[in-house]
Amino acid sequence: MSKLVLPASIQSVLDKYSEPDEIFTAILPIIGEVLQCDRCFLYLRNPQTKFAKVAYCWRRNSEIPDITDSDWRLDPESLPQEDPLFAAALRNDPSVYVEDIETESPEVVNKEFERQNFGHRALIHAHLCQNHQLWGILQPCVFGQKRIWSECDRAFVTQLESILTPLAVSYVKTATDYPIVKT
């Protein structure tokens, strides 16, 4: 099986920039366009401290909610129980492709949690894991309608996981706005 070629626009970003912040800022809109999504965000977290934030969020238009966090927050302890997608990410399960939160199994997605917190109808929950630890989640999503994720979409996201994971780790480890944790 031959290695898939990244879209030229993605490769261009990787060739032009080296810092995670620059890459994330430039690449999210391209991911949104390639996948024909309404929103694409990047949730980054420190697996040791469990502090996290949505550091980057691209939206197709201003009608789509911007969920960017200005500050790092501690993951709620109840999150893995409330959100099966987050629990799957913590277990380092393969990324999850939800075609319709309305008809997906409750073992896979908590439809009420998704409605209240995100408002989307279809999504990809791409897990950015390294050494069995969750460092981030890339979440392209669609509002108002279901979406069938093609084999090409899945192959593209799999490539993105391998590219974005080391950048997420680097970003979190060098974050200057990280909260001071008192012990």
Side-chain angles (χ1 to χ4, degrees):
M1 188 166 154
S2 64
K3 185 177 190 295
L4 293 167
V5 177
L6 279 171
S9 52
I10 296 279
Q11 191 59 56
S12 173
V13 167
L14 298 173
D15 291 344
K16 183 175 181 180
Y17 301 111
S18 59
E19 292 301 314
D21 177 64
E22 297 169 325
I23 293 171
F24 295 150
T25 299
I27 212 167
L28 255 55
I30 299 168
I31 295 168
E33 291 303 324
V34 168
L35 292 173
Q36 290 299 294
C37 292
D38 296 320
R39 179 174 69 202
C40 184
F41 69 82
L42 185 59
Y43 173 83
L44 298 169
R45 77 186 286 274
N46 184 314
Q48 282 76 43
T49 65
K50 298 182 176 69
F51 272 90
K53 71 176 182 175
V54 174
Y56 300 89
C57 181
W58 168 86
R59 304 171 296 149
R60 182 166 300 286
N61 61 53
S62 61
E63 305 291 309
I64 305 295
D66 181 354
I67 60 170
T68 307
D69 293 321
S70 55
D71 298 315
W72 293 90
R73 296 183 311 209
L74 191 58
D75 284 337
E77 269 189 53
S78 61
L79 191 55
Q81 289 75 42
E82 292 176 73
D83 183 2
L85 290 169
F86 188 73
L90 285 175
R91 290 190 305 267
N92 290 214
D93 287 357
S95 295
V96 181
Y97 296 79
V98 177
E99 297 181 347
D100 187 353
I101 67 163
E102 299 300 322
T103 57
E104 186 62 69
S105 159
E107 288 80 37
V108 174
V109 67
N110 177 341
K111 145 171 84 171
E112 286 308 313
F113 179 86
E114 295 298 320
R115 280 185 191 148
Q116 290 171 7
N117 292 287
F118 301 108
H120 48 229
R121 179 82 182 264
L123 68 132
I124 299 171
H125 204 262
H127 308 156
L128 306 181
C129 300
Q130 186 175 78
N131 298 327
H132 307 291
Q133 295 182 314
L134 176 65
W135 290 89
I137 297 168
L138 174 69
Q139 190 167 114
C141 60
V142 175
F143 284 73
Q145 62 187 14
K146 63 184 180 177
R147 164 71 184 271
I148 306 297
W149 302 106
S150 71
E151 286 306 312
C152 286
D153 295 338
R154 293 167 188 257
F156 175 58
V157 170
T158 298
Q159 280 189 299
L160 289 173
E161 290 168 10
S162 64
I163 292 164
L164 298 179
T165 298
L167 295 168
V169 172
S170 175
Y171 179 95
V172 170
K173 285 183 173 181
T174 60
T176 57
D177 62 339
Y178 207 71
I180 297 170
V181 182
K182 294 180 179 154
T183 53

